[in-house]
Amino acid sequence: MDLTQHYNQLYKKSSETILAGSYKLDSQLNNESDSRFGITLLIRPNETIKENIQFFLDELKAIEPHQYYYPDADIHTTVMSIISCYGGFSLDKINVHEYIDLIQQSLVHLDKIKIEFRGVTASPSAIMIQGFPTDESLNNFRNKLRENFKKSSLEQSIDSRYSIATAHSTVMRFQEKLQDPEKLIDILEKYRDYNFGNFKVENLELVYNDWYQRESNTIHLAEFYIAN
C-alpha cells in the first residue's frame, strides 16, 4: 500500500464530508455500559512525539473544546487488533499465556521498527496523525502474526474488520456537533505535512482494552522488547 496516497485520499474525502456537515458523531464515547473489549498489540510513541501531538490538539481544543481528545497515556499505534472489541469479551475466555508465546515466536526475525509521524489526516468521525514505517519491518511482522495466528486454534479476529496496513494514531473523535468545521479544516491544513517526529520502537505492548484504548479500562498483559 502507498501510505501517502492512502492518507491523501482519506483526507480529501473526509475533509469534504466534514465541511458538508455529513461527519459522524461517536454515540458510544460517553456510554458507561459500553462492554466492547478486546486484545491489541500496540506501539506507544515517545514523549517528544506526544508533546508535539498535544500542541496540535491544543489548537483544536481552542476552537472545538467539546470533542473527545486522547490524553498522552492513550495515544498509540495499533500493530494488530488480535481480538477486535466486542460486547461481553473478558480475559477469562482465553489463556493469555498462549497469546504471549505466539507473539514471542513471531518476533524472532524482527530486528527493528522505525516510524515517522508526519502530517495529519481525517475520517468522517476522527482526526489522526499519519504514521509512516521507514521500511517493511512492521508489515513483515504483521504478516508473520497473521500466519501464526491462523495456524493456531486461538480465538482471534485478525483482519475481520479490515486488513491493517497503516501506522496512524487516532487523537480526536467527534462527540458533539462541530462549532466551526471550516476553522477545523484550516488547522488540519496547517498540520497536513507537519513533522511530529520519528522514533525507533523499543517495545510492543499487549493489552486488554476498550474500544477507545482508555488507560482506565486497560489491563497490561505483556511487554515485548525489540533487540535493535
Side-chain angles (χ1 to χ4, degrees), residues 149-165:
F149 269 103
K150 285 172 183 175
K151 285 192 296 189
S152 79
S153 60
L154 301 179
E155 178 185 350
Q156 53 91 10
S157 53
I158 292 172
D159 298 337
S160 60
R161 287 174 57 222
Y162 56 88
S163 180
I164 189 165

Side-chain angles (χ1 to χ4, degrees), residues 19-79:
L19 289 172
S22 303
Y23 54 87
K24 299 174 184 175
L25 302 184
D26 193 323
S27 61
Q28 296 296 312
L29 270 165
N30 297 307
N31 178 9
E32 291 184 6
S33 61
D34 185 357
S35 65
R36 295 173 299 169
F37 282 81
I39 288 180
T40 307
L41 187 64
L42 56 78
I43 292 166
R44 299 196 190 275
N46 64 23
E47 294 304 315
T48 300
I49 291 168
K50 287 191 284 190
E51 280 182 22
N52 289 334
I53 290 172
Q54 292 303 332
F55 287 136
F56 163 61
L57 294 185
D58 285 344
E59 288 202 39
L60 294 181
K61 289 174 187 175
I63 60 158
E64 294 291 345
H66 304 302
Q67 305 308 327
Y68 181 82
Y69 294 93
Y70 278 63
D72 272 359
D74 299 355
I75 293 175
H76 67 282
T77 294
T78 297
V79 174

Side-chain angles (χ1 to χ4, degrees), residues 1 6 78 80-81 84 128 142 146 157-166 168 170 173 211:
M1 174 187 282
H6 171 77
T78 297
M80 190 67 73
S81 181
S84 296
M128 296 162 283
R142 283 171 167 162
R146 290 183 175 103
S157 53
I158 292 172
D159 298 337
S160 60
R161 287 174 57 222
Y162 56 88
S163 180
I164 189 165
T166 65
H168 68 273
T170 301
R173 291 183 185 272
W211 189 271

Side-chain angles (χ1 to χ4, degrees), residues 9-226:
Q9 289 174 347
L10 186 60
Y11 179 77
K12 182 177 186 301
K13 185 176 179 181
S14 299
S15 59
E16 290 169 355
T17 298
I18 291 167
L19 289 172
S22 303
Y23 54 87
K24 299 174 184 175
L25 302 184
D26 193 323
S27 61
Q28 296 296 312
L29 270 165
N30 297 307
N31 178 9
E32 291 184 6
S33 61
D34 185 357
S35 65
R36 295 173 299 169
F37 282 81
I39 288 180
T40 307
L41 187 64
L42 56 78
I43 292 166
R44 299 196 190 275
N46 64 23
E47 294 304 315
T48 300
I49 291 168
K50 287 191 284 190
E51 280 182 22
N52 289 334
I53 290 172
Q54 292 303 332
F55 287 136
F56 163 61
L57 294 185
D58 285 344
E59 288 202 39
L60 294 181
K61 289 174 187 175
I63 60 158
E64 294 291 345
H66 304 302
Q67 305 308 327
Y68 181 82
Y69 294 93
Y70 278 63
D72 272 359
D74 299 355
I75 293 175
H76 67 282
T77 294
T78 297
V79 174
M80 190 67 73
S81 181
I82 294 169
I83 297 178
S84 296
C85 293
Y86 67 87
F89 172 70
S90 58
L91 282 176
D92 58 12
K93 295 180 182 292
I94 62 168
N95 183 332
V96 173
H97 294 292
E98 292 180 345
Y99 287 77
I100 293 171
D101 288 345
L102 195 148
I103 293 167
Q104 196 68 59
Q105 292 168 26
S106 306
L107 275 167
V108 168
H109 300 294
L110 180 64
D111 59 355
K112 64 173 181 174
I113 297 175
K114 189 175 180 182
I115 300 175
E116 297 175 353
F117 288 94
R118 187 177 72 254
V120 301
T121 189
S123 76
S125 61
I127 306 301
M128 296 162 283
I129 308 297
Q130 298 178 158
F132 297 90
T134 58
D135 61 24
E136 287 300 305
S137 298
L138 179 57
N139 189 42
N140 292 341
F141 176 54
R142 283 171 167 162
N143 287 335
K144 180 57 72 174
L145 286 170
R146 290 183 175 103
E147 178 187 328
N148 287 343
F149 269 103
K150 285 172 183 175
K151 285 192 296 189
S152 79
S153 60
L154 301 179
E155 178 185 350
Q156 53 91 10
S157 53
I158 292 172
D159 298 337
S160 60
R161 287 174 57 222
Y162 56 88
S163 180
I164 189 165
T166 65
H168 68 273
S169 289
T170 301
V171 293
M172 172 200 181
R173 291 183 185 272
F174 304 152
Q175 64 180 357
E176 292 190 17
K177 183 179 178 181
L178 293 172
Q179 294 185 5
D180 197 330
E182 290 187 0
K183 276 190 180 177
L184 174 71
I185 296 301
D186 284 346
I187 293 173
L188 298 187
E189 286 288 340
K190 176 181 171 183
Y191 283 90
R192 272 291 286 141
D193 295 307
Y194 182 81
N195 180 13
F196 290 91
N198 63 75
F199 81 116
K200 192 180 288 183
V201 178
E202 295 181 353
N203 60 296
L204 311 174
E205 290 181 45
L206 180 67
V207 297
Y208 171 74
N209 58 278
D210 69 6
W211 189 271
Y212 306 103
Q213 287 284 351
R214 284 177 282 219
E215 183 183 33
S216 57
N217 290 331
T218 296
I219 297 175
H220 181 88
L221 302 177
E223 199 153 355
F224 305 90
Y225 293 94
I226 301 173

